[in-house]
Amino acid sequence: MFQAKYSRGILSCNQIDPLSERYLNPEDIYIIEGYRIEAFIKNIDSPIGMVFNEDGDILIADSGLATGNAKVLQMVNGQFETIAEGFVVPISGINYLNGVLYVSHRGYVSKIYKDGTRQNIIMGLPSNGDHYNSPVTFSPDNKLYFGQGTVTNSGVVGNDNKWVTVSPLLCDYTGDYVMLYGQNFPSPNILTEGLPNDTAYTGAFSPYGIPNIEYEIRKKYIKASGSILRANLDGSNLEQVAWGFRNPAFLKFDINGQLFAVNNGYNPIGSRPIDNATDDFYYISPGLWYGWPDYSGGEAVNSPRFAPRGGVQPSLLFKNQPNIPPRPYVTFPPNTSIRGFEFNYNADFGPYGDVYVAEYGSTIHTHIGDSVSYASAGHRVSRIDMRSRTISTFAINNTGFPASLSNGGGFERPNQLIFGPDGAMYIVDTGFNIPGNSEAFIPNTGVIWRVFRMNS
C-alpha cells in the first residue's frame, strides 16, 4: 500500500535546476516532543493543495503563482505527471470524492474525471478582486461547500486595489438587504492620473469613484462577497449558507457533521484601513451574518483598538445589521493568515478530535521595519484543543521567523495540511515569494513536509 510506494526521504520533480534549489534542513524546525519532521517532496512550483486518492496516490495542485500555468500533478512511479492544466490562476485548492477531483480556481469550480474529462460545474463567482473562492469540502449529505472571499479589504474600493484600472466597475455585493449610512471615502483618482488634484469619492459596495447617498439600500446576492456557499455535487442548486466573512479561505466538517471555517481579518490598508484585526476560526451556523465589513471577531470596528496607527478611527457602514455577529470559536493574532486545517481522528498521532492549522503568515508589511507580524504569528503549524478552545504551537522554525528572513532551512508558507493513509501529517509549503510581491512565487521553492510520531 502507501508505505510500499513511498519510502521516507525526499522525492523531487523532473528538470530541477540545482542553482535554484531551496535550502532545506528539518533540524531548523522545532516540533513538540515525540514527533519528527522531514522534507518529503521538494523543488515544486507554488503548491497550494494536496490530496490522496483511493489508491494512496498523491495529487498536488500548483497554484500557477510561480509559472502562470495553474495545473494538477499526480505522482506516478516517483515522478510528477500533469493530469490537468490551463486553469484560471490561481488554483486555490483541490479535493477528491468518489473518483472525481474537484479543482477550485479563480471564479470556478471544476471536476476532473478519471478519464481526463473536465467539466466546469460552478462559474461566474466574484473572485476577480482581492480574494477568491476557496477549495471545496463535502458535507455528510454529499453537498459541496466553499468560501467566497471579498473583492476589497473592508467594503470600499480604493487605491490599494491595483485591479481598478483593469476592472473599474468591480465592487463587493452584500448577502442580505442592508441599509448603508452613506459615507464616502476620498482618494487621488488613479483613473485620471493626467488630471491634477482630481479626487475620487467612493462609497461602500460601489465601484471606484461612485459615491453613496445617505441610507442607500443594497439587495441580497446569493454569490455575495465574503460568503459560504453550497451546491449539489454537479454544481446545481447553488445557495448561500452564511455571509459576513472577509476571506473564508478553508472549510471542513468534523466527524459530527458540524461545519467549521477560517476567516482572515482586515489589513490596515486602503481607503478604510482597519488595524489589529484577528484571524478567526468559526463554528458555522447557517443563515447568519458574521460581521464583515463592520465587525472583527465579533467586535465592532469602531472600537478604538481597530484604529490604524496615525490614521482615522473606522466607522460602521451598515445602519441596519442583519444580526449580532457570532464570536469565533478561537481567535488567532493579526497577520496569522490561517489557511488549511484538519481534524485529527487518529489517537496514535495526537489528541483525538483536535484541529491542526497551517499558518501562512503575513502578506503585507504593516509598518516599515516592523518585524512583530513575523515573530508573533504565522509560518508555523498550530493545534487547537477543541475542548478547552486554546491554541498551542505544534511546529515552528527555531528562529520564530520564516526561512526567507532567517536564511534557515525550515518553514516558509505553510498553506494546507492533511493526514495521509500512513497516519502521517503532510504540510504543503507554497514556497518563497518574489521579493516585494506576496502574490508571486519563485519556481522550485515549494515543499511538502511530512510529520510522524517517533514510535508510530
Side-chain angles (χ1 to χ4, degrees), residues 119-131:
Q119 178 187 17
N120 295 331
I121 59 170
I122 297 175
M123 296 165 280
L125 297 171
S127 297
N128 289 322
D130 288 1
H131 308 110

Side-chain angles (χ1 to χ4, degrees), residues 18-187:
L19 296 178
S20 63
E21 188 166 329
R22 172 178 166 184
Y23 169 64
L24 297 173
N25 183 3
E27 297 299 321
D28 287 348
I29 300 173
Y30 162 81
I31 192 164
I32 65 172
E33 186 176 357
Y35 294 84
R36 179 181 170 188
I37 187 167
E38 62 186 10
F40 182 64
I41 303 173
K42 66 175 183 176
N43 299 328
I44 43 181
D45 295 330
S46 59
I48 203 74
M50 173 178 172
V51 291
F52 292 87
N53 64 18
E54 64 275 352
D55 298 321
D57 298 320
I58 294 174
L59 297 103
I60 289 178
D62 172 356
S63 66
L65 294 173
T67 65
N69 182 16
K71 54 191 175 182
V72 179
L73 309 169
Q74 181 171 345
M75 184 72 80
V76 178
N77 297 323
Q79 300 290 340
F80 279 124
E81 294 182 0
T82 299
I83 62 171
E85 61 185 329
F87 298 95
V88 182
V89 177
I91 290 177
S92 61
I94 53 177
N95 212 338
Y96 189 88
L97 181 68
N98 298 332
V100 178
L101 184 68
Y102 292 77
V103 182
S104 298
H105 49 125
R106 189 186 291 271
Y108 294 83
V109 177
S110 301
K111 279 183 171 183
I112 308 296
Y113 296 91
K114 283 191 172 182
D115 63 1
T117 304
R118 174 170 162 175
Q119 178 187 17
N120 295 331
I121 59 170
I122 297 175
M123 296 165 280
L125 297 171
S127 297
N128 289 322
D130 288 1
H131 308 110
Y132 30 85
N133 45 301
S134 81
V136 303
T137 193
F138 306 108
S139 65
D141 61 348
N142 277 337
K143 287 185 177 287
L144 63 84
Y145 285 64
F146 62 94
Q148 175 59 56
T150 59
V151 170
T152 66
N153 175 51
S154 60
V156 180
V157 182
N159 290 2
D160 59 312
N161 304 122
K162 303 305 180 186
W163 42 259
V164 166
T165 55
V166 177
S167 303
L169 299 181
L170 199 59
C171 66
D172 287 298
Y173 291 93
T174 59
D176 204 347
Y177 290 88
V178 297
M179 180 180 290
L180 304 175
Y181 277 112
Q183 308 99 312
N184 292 301
F185 299 83
S187 60

Side-chain angles (χ1 to χ4, degrees), residues 227-254:
S227 61
I228 292 175
L229 303 172
R230 70 181 167 205
N232 295 328
L233 294 180
D234 63 1
S236 64
N237 193 31
L238 184 69
E239 55 187 345
Q240 186 186 115
V241 177
W243 76 289
F245 307 92
R246 178 176 171 272
N247 186 19
F250 198 87
L251 323 175
K252 190 82 175 180
F253 286 88
D254 71 4

